[in-house]
Amino acid sequence: MALFPIHSNFERDFVIQLVPVDTDDTMDQVAEKCAHHSLNRRVKPQPGKILRVRRHCDGEIFPRDMTVASAGLRPTETLDIIFSDN
Amino acid sequence: MAKLKREEWYDLTRATNWTPKYVTEEELFPEEMSGSRGIPAEVWETYDEPYKVVYSEYVETQREKDAGAYSVKAALERSQYVENADPGWVSTMVAHYGAIPLAEYAASTAEARMARFAKAPGNRNMAVFGMMDENRHGQIQLYFPHAYTKLSRQWDWASKAYHTNEWAAIAARSFFDDAMMTRDSVAVSIMLTFAFETGFTNMQFLGLAADAAQAGDHTFASLISSIQTDESRHAQQGGPSLKILIANGKKEEAQTMVDAAIWRAWKLFSALTGPAMDYYTPMEHRSQSFKEFMEEWIIAQFERQLIDLGLDKPWYWDILIRDLDITHHGMHMGIWYWRPTVWWNPAAGFGPKEREWLEEKYPGWNETFGECADVIVDNLLNGRPELTGPETLPTVCNMCQLPIVGVPGSKWDVKDYQLEYEGRLYHFGSEVDKWCFEIDPERYKGHLNFIDRFLAGHVQPPDLMGGLQYMGLAPGEMGDDAHGYEWVKAYSQPKTDAA
């Protein structure tokens, strides 16, 4: 368990932001932490949609229960947080 | 005794190269300072400055310019213009004075480098006057805002900004250090005077002078017009350098210097001038949109100059043209959202009427940046102001030092151009910022942007208050909405048809 900085590129927001997450966080928890800094601040909620985490550089969508530690992320790597139907 | 005409003696008196006897030419003109690039001194002696001036003419003209600007200031001092001006326009001035005077002062040392180390005598002669110009610009733009420090401590940032680690000050220092403080004299003539001054000081000084006159701020208009006439003279030092480089097989290197400097200047101006022109200046006083100014001064005029000199359009020209609709809107929204982190009070500039103007000038604004504005307005109208301020930091580009922004809303397109170099992950706001880094990674790799400093533990405590403290922003200095959120009321009023 350790603090791990990532950059959040949240769908429909205009800016990328620094978000500290934890290496034990699942991707759902990462999405939630990123949402705190974008959703309802500059991005409207999308009812019925869930948030998924995607690696920015290659578009790989991570399983929702995968942890940060097991995703092979580099510190400060940029992640897309996208609205999804599933 | 009859005096000779200037043109009869000018060429002779500025032909000041000689054959050194006590030192070698390399010792007299070290390459890292002169940047002659292997081109012999006799070739540099053919440098022909298009604007010729001599000392007696110079001081006479400068005295008149100073007398004009200072007398307008004295005459209008009692009109209390600043006290009564629209707060958005006041913010434009406060931002300008923090960002410009000390950079001008620093530019006098860049000019001094050319005055001493340029192998071209004509360049040395012109640069002596350029050095004095920049010194005057530093002094006059420190003196004018000083009168207003009694109104707000933010005005004192004219003297303070460059001595702090405030993020916009880091961005400005990064560009000016790169383009003028750490380059040889030939590179300075190209990156500072040709790329930056020819194009972008026109934007800042002619553009803002027009807006200032429209806003009734004749003191500011006369001040910056007096500066611009100097800029348009000493900006001509780069052209002859470029001609010599191109004629001597150095076109590629010249093109790279021009391209990098134009891009870096553009990014800085997208954050400082773009918001001032399209959001802070009251709508009725805007002479042109930022995009229109860019299209006129950079895209059309500057492009023509490049072609005339024998250079090409920068490879990223299409990217730049596309970004005229995007980048400065993102910079503005970021500056407004992170408003405690700047030394001026950003005007939101997205009330209902302003949005009509933005949609007209930038079709699609409402479905992109307007979507973010809708959420901000909704929070302000419904008693959730805490959601209109930051709880973290924006990701900052490792080249321009500015937030990484893009298109929001339904056409969402925000990209981080990442690069792993020697084990470190760098982040860039555009393909061109990344290209600037890749030209010379050794030059840039050691620099820490604001996020790097935060993660390295330089900011303590590691939160917003620690960040403000690190940036040197004290209460009374940190920004807030220029109009005290009054503009939000227009959204709660029922719409009426125009009479």
Side-chain angles (χ1 to χ4, degrees):
Chain A
M1 168 170 185
L3 209 57
F4 192 87
I6 59 103
H7 289 296
S8 163
N9 186 28
F10 200 93
E11 185 175 347
R12 297 179 94 100
D13 205 350
F14 75 94
V15 65
I16 302 178
Q17 299 174 102
L18 176 70
V19 177
V21 298
D22 194 281
T23 48
D24 287 347
D25 283 342
T26 64
M27 290 299 158
D28 274 359
Q29 288 171 311
V30 169
E32 194 183 329
K33 286 182 177 177
C34 293
H36 177 77
H37 297 287
S38 291
L39 201 62
N40 291 316
R41 291 174 180 269
R42 298 173 301 269
V43 180
K44 289 176 195 168
Q46 293 193 24
K49 302 261 186 184
I50 57 165
L51 291 169
R52 297 294 302 268
V53 179
R54 186 172 74 186
R55 196 200 303 266
H56 184 68
C57 65
D58 62 9
E60 179 191 354
I61 297 178
F62 295 114
R64 294 175 62 184
D65 57 357
M66 178 182 267
T67 63
V68 169
S70 56
L73 298 173
R74 297 168 290 180
T76 81
E77 183 152 2
T78 295
L79 301 175
D80 298 334
I81 315 300
I82 53 171
F83 291 102
S84 174
D85 293 324
N86 48 50
Chain B
M1 193 172 79
K3 280 185 175 176
L4 288 172
K5 288 179 183 168
R6 189 237 282 161
E7 56 269 28
E8 292 176 78
W9 52 265
Y10 182 89
D11 286 343
L12 176 67
T13 55
R14 71 114 163 89
T16 49
N17 272 5
W18 69 97
T19 306
K21 202 163 155 190
Y22 299 102
V23 292
T24 64
E25 188 178 316
E26 173 58 25
E27 286 170 319
L28 186 60
F29 292 109
E31 180 60 21
E32 63 269 25
M33 299 299 272
S34 291
S36 59
R37 291 164 175 74
I39 299 170
E42 54 269 27
V43 176
W44 287 109
E45 286 166 13
T46 65
Y47 176 107
D48 186 22
E49 65 279 27
Y51 194 110
K52 294 177 170 57
V53 64
V54 297
Y55 186 73
S56 57
E57 296 165 345
Y58 177 82
V59 291
E60 190 180 343
T61 308
Q62 297 307 96
R63 186 187 170 283
E64 283 169 15
K65 283 186 198 172
D66 257 8
Y70 281 88
S71 61
V72 169
K73 177 181 187 295
L76 296 179
E77 213 141 49
R78 293 188 182 193
S79 70
Q80 296 198 305
Y81 175 82
V82 169
E83 287 86 336
N84 299 310
D86 183 280
W89 178 250
V90 172
S91 299
T92 295
M93 284 191 285
V94 174
H96 170 94
Y97 280 124
I100 305 296
L102 290 200
E104 303 255 30
Y105 187 66
S108 71
T109 67
E111 293 278 349
R113 193 169 318 120
M114 292 187 286
R116 163 63 183 86
F117 291 106
K119 277 195 177 175
N123 194 179
R124 293 203 298 272
N125 193 45
M126 285 285 284
V128 169
F129 301 122
M131 179 180 68
M132 290 190 285
D133 289 341
E134 300 294 11
N135 204 25
R136 182 177 87 90
H137 302 171
Q139 289 176 347
I140 197 169
Q141 289 179 100
L142 289 174
Y143 180 74
F144 275 45
H146 184 71
Y148 307 127
T149 50
K150 62 190 176 203
L151 301 177
S152 160
R153 291 177 57 168
Q154 290 180 333
W155 291 94
D156 193 37
W157 274 64
S159 300
K160 184 175 172 180
Y162 277 78
H163 297 295
T164 72
N165 282 318
E166 195 277 341
W167 66 267
I170 293 175
R173 271 204 309 268
S174 168
F175 169 68
F176 290 118
D177 282 356
D178 188 13
M180 71 185 192
M181 302 306 286
T182 58
R183 300 275 180 176
D184 62 72
S185 69
V186 171
V188 167
S189 77
I190 291 167
M191 298 181 83
L192 173 64
T193 81
F194 179 76
F196 174 68
E197 288 174 336
T198 308
F200 287 90
T201 60
N202 277 330
M203 285 286 298
Q204 184 74 6
F205 290 93
L206 288 180
L208 277 186
D211 284 358
Q214 293 258 3
D217 190 353
H218 300 294
T219 303
F220 192 64
S222 77
L223 163 75
I224 53 184
S225 297
S226 124
I227 291 171
Q228 179 54 26
T229 50
D230 290 352
E231 298 285 339
S232 62
R233 168 173 34 74
H234 68 234
Q236 296 178 37
Q237 292 171 94
S241 296
L242 284 167
K243 282 183 188 166
I244 290 175
L245 290 185
I246 293 165
N248 289 273
K250 307 284 181 190
K251 178 182 170 181
E252 194 180 337
E253 191 182 348
Q255 182 84 48
T256 301
M257 285 192 277
V258 169
D259 291 0
I262 291 175
W263 184 261
R264 295 212 60 188
W266 145 249
K267 288 300 289 280
L268 190 60
F269 274 65
S270 76
L272 291 173
T273 317
M277 284 185 173
D278 282 356
Y279 292 90
Y280 304 172
T281 300
M283 213 171 59
E284 62 274 20
H285 300 320
R286 291 174 197 164
S287 46
Q288 282 178 297
S289 70
F290 178 62
K291 179 183 174 183
E292 287 164 346
F293 266 114
M294 280 294 297
E295 284 173 336
E296 181 176 342
W297 291 104
I298 306 295
I299 304 302
Q301 291 199 21
F302 206 40
E303 182 186 311
R304 202 157 49 235
Q305 286 189 49
L306 290 172
I307 306 301
D308 288 348
L309 276 164
L311 289 169
D312 302 320
K313 281 191 295 186
W315 64 269
Y316 52 72
W317 217 231
D318 291 342
I319 298 174
L320 174 62
I321 290 167
R322 186 200 67 196
D323 284 2
L324 295 180
D325 282 314
I326 304 167
T327 309
H328 73 291
H329 298 305
M331 295 297 175
H332 167 67
M333 197 153 271
I335 289 168
W336 189 87
Y337 201 85
W338 274 267
R339 55 202 176 282
T341 70
V342 292
W343 65 81
W344 65 93
N345 297 326
F350 42 80
K353 284 185 179 168
E354 286 85 358
R355 285 176 70 152
E356 282 177 28
W357 184 89
L358 286 162
E359 186 64 34
E360 181 199 324
K361 298 290 183 185
Y362 301 94
W365 190 94
N366 273 315
E367 58 175 321
T368 53
F369 290 93
E371 264 203 23
C372 296
D374 287 341
V375 182
I376 289 170
V377 169
D378 189 56
N379 284 329
L380 289 170
L381 282 174
N382 292 291
R384 298 185 294 267
E386 72 281 4
L387 294 180
T388 70
E391 287 186 52
T392 188
L393 298 167
T395 302
V396 176
C397 172
N398 280 111
M399 178 52 59
C400 69
Q401 313 296 317
L402 297 167
I404 297 180
V405 298
V407 182
S410 61
K411 296 178 178 170
W412 182 58
D413 184 17
V414 182
K415 285 200 181 80
D416 177 8
Y417 294 81
Q418 301 174 95
L419 173 73
E420 196 166 324
Y421 182 79
E422 293 184 351
R424 179 178 163 192
L425 187 60
Y426 293 84
H427 301 268
F428 299 99
S430 70
E431 189 183 347
V432 193
D433 286 290
K434 182 165 161 270
W435 170 78
C436 290
F437 181 91
E438 287 174 322
I439 296 169
D440 191 357
E442 288 300 304
R443 181 176 181 81
Y444 302 108
K445 69 177 186 182
H447 188 267
L448 299 181
N449 70 17
F450 198 89
I451 298 291
D452 299 323
R453 297 174 197 205
F454 182 82
L455 295 174
H458 298 189
V459 177
Q460 294 296 336
D463 55 22
L464 183 63
M465 288 318 291
L468 293 171
Q469 203 175 336
Y470 180 79
M471 288 188 267
L473 283 153
E477 297 176 340
M478 52 187 79
D480 198 356
D481 182 78
H483 296 92
Y485 309 95
E486 284 293 308
W487 55 274
V488 183
K489 289 179 182 168
Y491 282 98
S492 56
Q493 287 164 0
K495 285 180 183 168
T496 53
D497 292 332

